[in-house]
Amino acid sequence: MGSLTFVGLGLQSENGMTLEGLDVARKAGGAFAEFYTNRMPGLNLEHLEMLIGKKVHLLDRTQLEEDGGRQLIAAAQKGSVVFFVPGDPMIATTHVSLRITLSKNGIESRIIHAASITSAICGATGLQSYKFGKTITIPQDEPLPQSVPDTISDNSKRGLHTLLLLDINASEANQMTIREAAARMTRARPSLQNALAVGAARIGAIDEKVKAAKMRDLPNTEFGNTPHSIVAIGKLHFMEAEALKVLCGAHDEDLRENS
Amino acid sequence: MGSLTFVGLGLQSENGMTLEGLDVARKAGGAFAEFYTNRMPGLNLEHLEMLIGKKVHLLDRTQLEEDGGRQLIAAAQKGSVVFFVPGDPMIATTHVSLRITLSKNGIESRIIHAASITSAICGATGLQSYKFGKTITIPQDEPLPQSVPDTISDNSKRGLHTLLLLDINASEANQMTIREAAARMTRARPSLQNALAVGAARIGAIDEKVKAAKMRDLPNTEFGNTPHSIVAIGKLHFMEAEALKVLCGAHDEDLRENS
């Protein structure tokens, strides 16, 4: 009987997998990967294949979603298979559905976890994990759904921060930028212009960039290449305020309303 | 000039560090670690030292908090130093404070992220990341602060799940169990007896265990060794309900009020 192990690749490249993930992938009979649920700009497929000593079969959205991952399930029925996924696996709904199908077919599955932006954002900014409310993704579609500014204000009323994930355009693997997202949000809800936010680019990479500023000023910062994300700030603990100044270049006057 | 790299160890053992973490630690001039902010039952210090080819100096809470990490900062002033931390670094406030001090002293710091229970819980249970509200830690002190049941009911009113982290007793490295935490919560707020919850033990390990049940029934499940955590469930998406049944052994009748 076969098995499938989801192996998280973390934030930037194949070097974000864990030692355990590497070990399991080396021993596996076959390897698959998808790279459409998150952007991994540093990923080098040839290096990944060299590390694990086997070919990696790429699966696209159609094969995994419309086709239900049939090829992957068939391989896992016959032998031990690893499936590489950006970030921490299972953040994407489609992989939960796959895991349920595997279980119903009596195929064992396991997850080897890796870093996710949902926790890495805390380290990168100095914001505290238990101060975050509900996370929301800003979709590419126009107009911006009211649920985006509503989630920010609902969290903010409770003093909580909001992690805003920026959607990727699956067909082109383009991700929305901080500039675009901030502009869309302030257009949809002008009161957000004055909201304190942190733009975060390429978290986990050597050249990661974070900058705290009022939402209207975020587009003035050059964040460089994606992946990008934004945190809308709630009420700041004094240590968080200090971190925003020291680690994220916030100006004192921008922090006043949130302290 | 020196530098300090925080290297996350992930959820279970030294094999939860990333390939990049290993590479940086091998090249570093010195290595430190703390193991008091989270329990890492599978950790083998000798194996870690063998992997990175150098001795790892352990730091305790007193050295890092009361003493402000003076020894670590002095080492980072002189050369390149890695500092191993359980989970994804910087979830603990004390490390944010350390990073601010480093920055004020002109010492470069960087984080190599790893898996955290805050995102791994999604994969382990099939619950969706964007359906979680504010996380809260259940402290060891009696009586249980009202903020614990209040956070659960505030999240639940908005349809959101609550991740409940169980405190560890730093002096003994004992962690509260699911049984103790569920009993304390239902005593403090009897209406929680009927709340749907998931108990999660040793997430990421080969023998991880998850079980969905009413809070009053959680103590009837044998979860085994810590680390333990609990999710109090809000409103379920149909895929989440399916995942709780298939992956977490939930009974249909227990899911009715949350679906």
Side-chain angles (χ1 to χ4, degrees):
Chain A
M1 197 62 201
S3 69
L4 189 145
T5 305
F6 293 84
V7 178
L9 289 172
L11 302 168
Q12 281 290 323
S13 80
E14 64 282 4
N15 295 323
M17 90 170 105
T18 65
L19 305 188
E20 185 187 11
L22 177 62
D23 185 54
V24 170
R26 278 183 175 160
K27 292 174 180 157
F32 293 80
E34 66 85 358
F35 298 119
Y36 72 84
T37 57
N38 265 297
R39 257 179 65 64
M40 295 205 80
L43 193 103
N44 180 332
L45 187 61
E46 278 174 35
H47 182 234
L48 175 59
E49 291 179 332
M50 195 204 70
L51 281 170
I52 67 168
K54 57 182 67 74
K55 186 153 176 48
V56 174
H57 302 274
L58 294 193
L59 299 172
D60 61 23
R61 190 185 288 265
T62 308
Q63 287 167 305
L64 279 166
E65 297 182 13
E66 287 163 38
D67 209 38
R70 211 184 313 164
Q71 194 186 350
L72 188 57
I73 293 167
Q77 230 147 7
K78 280 180 267 170
S80 68
V81 163
V82 290
F83 179 34
F84 291 107
V85 175
D88 190 20
M90 320 303 290
I91 294 294
T93 323
T94 171
H95 300 330
V96 177
S97 155
L98 179 61
R99 203 164 168 230
I100 291 172
T101 307
L102 290 166
S103 178
K104 286 184 172 170
N105 284 282
I107 303 169
E108 239 180 87
S109 73
R110 214 196 129 203
I111 302 167
I112 297 185
H113 296 280
S116 163
I117 185 66
T118 61
S119 73
I121 194 72
C122 300
T125 57
L127 296 169
Q128 290 167 10
S129 178
Y130 69 89
K131 296 281 299 293
F132 280 76
K134 177 178 159 56
T135 295
I136 195 162
T137 295
I138 303 186
Q140 300 265 2
D141 336 313
E142 290 286 0
L144 186 76
Q146 285 302 312
S147 56
V148 173
D150 286 351
T151 298
I152 296 173
S153 75
D154 192 43
N155 283 336
S156 166
K157 267 179 220 155
R158 293 173 163 75
L160 301 175
H161 315 316
T162 308
L163 173 60
L164 299 154
L165 299 172
L166 311 188
D167 208 9
I168 58 173
N169 184 328
S171 57
E172 302 159 47
N174 277 338
Q175 194 203 27
M176 197 186 305
T177 62
I178 292 166
R179 177 168 299 170
E180 289 163 354
R184 289 182 66 197
M185 284 192 285
T186 52
R187 261 204 314 275
R189 184 78 49 97
S191 60
L192 282 176
Q193 290 190 6
N194 207 36
L196 182 63
V198 184
R202 299 174 305 286
I203 295 308
I206 288 279
D207 67 341
E208 78 176 23
K209 172 150 185 105
V210 287
K211 171 70 183 167
K214 295 289 184 184
M215 193 82 83
R216 62 165 181 270
D217 295 327
L218 274 188
N220 302 333
T221 295
E222 184 46 74
F223 284 98
N225 291 334
T226 54
H228 285 186
S229 51
I230 299 177
V231 181
I233 303 291
K235 188 95 183 151
L236 292 166
H237 181 269
F238 76 92
M239 176 90 78
E240 293 182 308
E242 186 75 3
L244 289 192
K245 279 199 279 185
V246 175
L247 307 175
C248 308
H251 297 301
D252 274 319
E253 64 271 23
D254 288 343
L255 300 179
R256 215 163 293 143
E257 287 168 36
N258 300 72
S259 296
Chain B
M1 198 61 199
S3 69
L4 190 145
T5 305
F6 294 84
V7 178
L9 288 172
L11 302 168
Q12 281 291 322
S13 80
E14 63 282 4
N15 295 321
M17 89 171 107
T18 65
L19 305 188
E20 185 187 12
L22 177 63
D23 185 52
V24 170
R26 279 184 175 159
K27 291 173 182 158
F32 293 80
E34 64 86 359
F35 297 120
Y36 72 84
T37 57
N38 263 297
R39 259 178 66 64
M40 295 204 79
L43 192 103
N44 180 332
L45 187 60
E46 279 174 35
H47 182 234
L48 174 59
E49 292 179 331
M50 196 203 71
L51 282 170
I52 67 167
K54 58 181 68 72
K55 185 151 175 50
V56 174
H57 302 273
L58 295 193
L59 299 173
D60 61 23
R61 189 185 288 264
T62 309
Q63 287 167 304
L64 280 165
E65 297 182 15
E66 287 163 39
D67 210 36
R70 210 182 315 163
Q71 193 187 350
L72 189 57
I73 293 168
Q77 230 146 8
K78 282 181 267 172
S80 68
V81 163
V82 291
F83 179 34
F84 291 108
V85 176
D88 189 18
M90 319 303 291
I91 294 295
T93 323
T94 170
H95 301 330
V96 177
S97 155
L98 179 61
R99 204 164 166 230
I100 291 171
T101 307
L102 290 165
S103 178
K104 287 183 172 172
N105 284 284
I107 304 168
E108 238 181 87
S109 72
R110 212 195 132 203
I111 302 167
I112 298 185
H113 296 281
S116 163
I117 185 67
T118 61
S119 73
I121 194 72
C122 300
T125 57
L127 296 169
Q128 290 169 9
S129 180
Y130 69 88
K131 296 282 299 293
F132 279 76
K134 177 178 159 54
T135 295
I136 195 162
T137 295
I138 303 187
Q140 300 264 2
D141 336 314
E142 289 285 2
L144 187 77
Q146 286 300 313
S147 57
V148 173
D150 287 352
T151 298
I152 296 173
S153 74
D154 189 46
N155 282 337
S156 164
K157 268 179 217 152
R158 301 154 73 207
L160 302 175
H161 315 316
T162 309
L163 172 59
L164 300 153
L165 299 172
L166 311 188
D167 208 8
I168 58 172
N169 184 328
S171 57
E172 303 159 47
N174 277 337
Q175 196 203 26
M176 198 185 305
T177 62
I178 292 166
R179 178 168 300 170
E180 287 162 356
R184 288 181 67 197
M185 285 191 285
T186 52
R187 261 203 314 273
R189 185 78 49 98
S191 61
L192 281 176
Q193 291 191 5
N194 207 35
L196 182 62
V198 184
R202 299 176 304 288
I203 296 308
I206 288 279
D207 67 341
E208 79 175 23
K209 176 158 182 98
V210 288
K211 170 72 183 168
K214 295 290 183 183
M215 194 82 84
R216 63 167 180 269
D217 296 327
L218 274 188
N220 302 332
T221 296
E222 184 47 73
F223 284 97
N225 291 335
T226 54
H228 285 185
S229 52
I230 299 178
V231 181
I233 303 292
K235 187 96 183 152
L236 292 166
H237 181 269
F238 75 92
M239 176 92 77
E240 293 181 308
E242 186 76 2
L244 289 192
K245 278 199 281 186
V246 176
L247 308 175
C248 308
H251 297 301
D252 275 318
E253 65 270 23
D254 287 342
L255 300 179
R256 213 163 295 144
E257 286 168 36
N258 300 71
S259 297

